[in-house]
Amino acid sequence: LFSVAYRTVNWSLSGFLIGEYGGKLTIGQQFSGMIRLDKTNKAGFFRAEVKRHVPSVRGLGAQFLSLTPETFEMFEIAMKKSEAAGG
């Protein structure tokens, strides 16, 4: 199950970049995960594919393959709050 937590450097509705990644996923590998946004108890689930490794931040870039409707809604709300805050 979900045994390791990573902080995203950035994310969008199409994918995300994890910083300080120490795992063994390789480019092209698909995986399932859970995402939790700051300041919320809600969690969302997704399926993604590794697209690149970013050595400068020990990062892993992934593209979402599927998001549950609840996860999509959670992202939309977070993006609206970020825009309202000027971010």
Side-chain angles (χ1 to χ4, degrees), residues 2 4 20 22 27 33 56 58 64 68 73-74 83 85:
F2 308 110
V4 180
E20 300 300 318
I27 293 173
S56 61
R58 285 189 47 216
F64 290 121
T68 64
E73 181 180 359
M74 188 173 72
E83 290 171 1

Side-chain angles (χ1 to χ4, degrees), residues 12-52:
S12 70
L13 291 175
S14 62
F16 56 92
L17 175 65
I18 294 172
E20 300 300 318
Y21 176 71
K24 297 181 180 180
L25 291 173
T26 59
I27 293 173
Q29 190 171 355
Q30 294 183 7
F31 63 99
S32 295
M34 178 178 70
I35 192 160
R36 191 176 303 245
L37 301 178
D38 288 339
K39 301 177 187 173
T40 181
N41 291 330
K42 293 183 179 180
F45 298 92
F46 65 87
R47 184 123 184 98
E49 181 177 327
V50 178
K51 291 297 185 181
R52 62 188 175 117

